[in-house]
Amino acid sequence: MNVVYFAWVRERIGLPQETVKTDAATVNDLIAELSEREERYAAAFADISALRVALDQELSDFDAPLDGVREVAFFPPMTGG
Amino acid sequence: MTVRVQAEPFDAGAELNAFAQGRTDIGAVVSFTGVVRDTKGDLQEMLIEHYPGMTESAIAKIAQEATTRWALTDVLVIHRYGPLKPGAPIMMVATASAHRAASFEAADFLMDYLKSRAPFWKKEVTAQGAAWVDAKDADEDALKRW
C-alpha cells in the first residue's frame, strides 16, 4: 500500500511517500503499526485530532477499513484559498 | 466549468474578461481573487503544497456541488502552488449566472469549501524561519452555513 504524507506530517516523518506492507484492518490500526515502528511516526501521529486522512484521494475517517485501498494520505487540516 | 491547478502566475483581469467574453446568456459575474498577504511585514515567501490528483478532483467536486445548488452558467477556479511572493495572486474563483444572488452565493460557497476541503497547505517563510499556517476553527465553522 502506498502511504503519502503532506506538510508538517511529511517533514516530521521525513518522507513524502513510501510503500508499506501491512495487514492493518483500519486507518487507526495502520497508525498504531507505524507508530510502533519508529519514534518519528509516533511523533507525527501523536495527536490524531490535528490530522486528516484520505483513502484513494477521498477524505475519510480514522476508523475506515483499508480493504482494497491503494493509497493512504496523512496531512494536517487543509489551508487553501 | 474550468479548474486549473498551476505553479504559473495568472492575470486575474484577463481571466475574468475571458470568462465572460462573448456570452449573452449571463446577467451576473462574481469573482474573488486571493492574494498573498504579508501580515507582519516580514514575509519572504509563501510556500503552497498540494496533493496532485486529489486537488483537481476535490476542486471539481466542490465546483460540481455549486452548480447543483445554484443555477450557474459557468464556474472558474484557478489555484496556484509552489513558492509565491507577497502580493502575488494565489487563487481565483469566478461564477456566472442569470442573476446576481446565485453568483454571489456560489462564489462564497466555493471559497469556504476551497479553504478547508481542497488539499492545499501554506507555509510562511520569514527571516525568523518557516512555519505552517494552521487551519482556523472559523474556516471549519464556515462550512456549517451551507
Side-chain angles (χ1 to χ4, degrees), chain A residues 4-8 10-11 52 54 56-59 71-73 75-81, chain B residues 49-54 61 79 91 114-123 132-135:
Chain A
V4 296
Y5 311 105
F6 291 99
W8 59 256
R10 171 177 53 73
E11 290 177 341
R52 299 288 180 269
D56 288 333
Q57 305 193 348
E58 291 273 351
L59 269 183
E71 184 168 278
V72 181
F75 40 78
M78 293 99 140
T79 53
Chain B
E49 185 170 323
H50 80 117
Y51 186 170
M54 180 175 170
K61 210 157 95 182
H79 205 303
M91 56 91 62
L114 287 167
K115 276 202 103 58
S116 37
R117 289 291 181 273
F120 290 99
W121 301 274
K122 291 190 186 119
K123 191 181 201 180
W132 290 100
V133 175
D134 283 329

Side-chain angles (χ1 to χ4, degrees), chain B residues 118-140:
Chain B
F120 290 99
W121 301 274
K122 291 190 186 119
K123 191 181 201 180
E124 290 179 335
V125 183
T126 69
Q128 284 74 48
W132 290 100
V133 175
D134 283 329
K136 296 186 189 78
D137 290 342
D139 291 341
E140 192 62 31

Side-chain angles (χ1 to χ4, degrees), chain B:
Chain B
M1 187 172 97
T2 305
V3 171
R4 273 161 42 204
V5 180
Q6 62 186 50
E8 300 74 31
F10 62 87
D11 179 334
E15 296 289 349
L16 189 55
N17 284 335
F19 180 68
Q21 197 167 34
R23 301 200 72 143
T24 54
D25 56 339
I26 57 178
V29 174
V30 165
S31 80
F32 172 87
T33 306
V35 178
V36 177
R37 186 183 60 209
D38 185 1
T39 319
K40 296 173 199 148
D42 62 355
L43 185 70
Q44 294 174 342
E45 214 165 60
M46 180 81 88
L47 291 172
I48 312 225
E49 185 170 323
H50 80 117
Y51 186 170
M54 180 175 170
T55 311
E56 292 80 356
S57 61
I59 296 176
K61 210 157 95 182
I62 294 165
Q64 195 60 50
E65 172 75 18
T67 62
T68 60
R69 285 182 181 226
W70 291 276
L72 299 176
T73 320
D74 207 356
V75 176
L76 167 71
V77 180
I78 303 173
H79 205 303
R80 296 176 68 192
Y81 61 88
L84 304 182
K85 295 290 181 197
I90 298 184
M91 56 91 62
M92 81 175 280
V93 157
T95 52
S97 64
H99 305 288
R100 73 178 188 278
S103 289
F104 270 117
E105 285 174 25
D108 211 6
F109 167 90
L110 285 166
M111 283 312 305
D112 279 348
Y113 271 82
L114 287 167
K115 276 202 103 58
S116 37
R117 289 291 181 273
F120 290 99
W121 301 274
K122 291 190 186 119
K123 191 181 201 180
E124 290 179 335
V125 183
T126 69
Q128 284 74 48
W132 290 100
V133 175
D134 283 329
K136 296 186 189 78
D137 290 342
D139 291 341
E140 192 62 31
D141 289 346
L143 301 187
K144 292 177 189 153
R145 65 194 174 113
W146 305 110

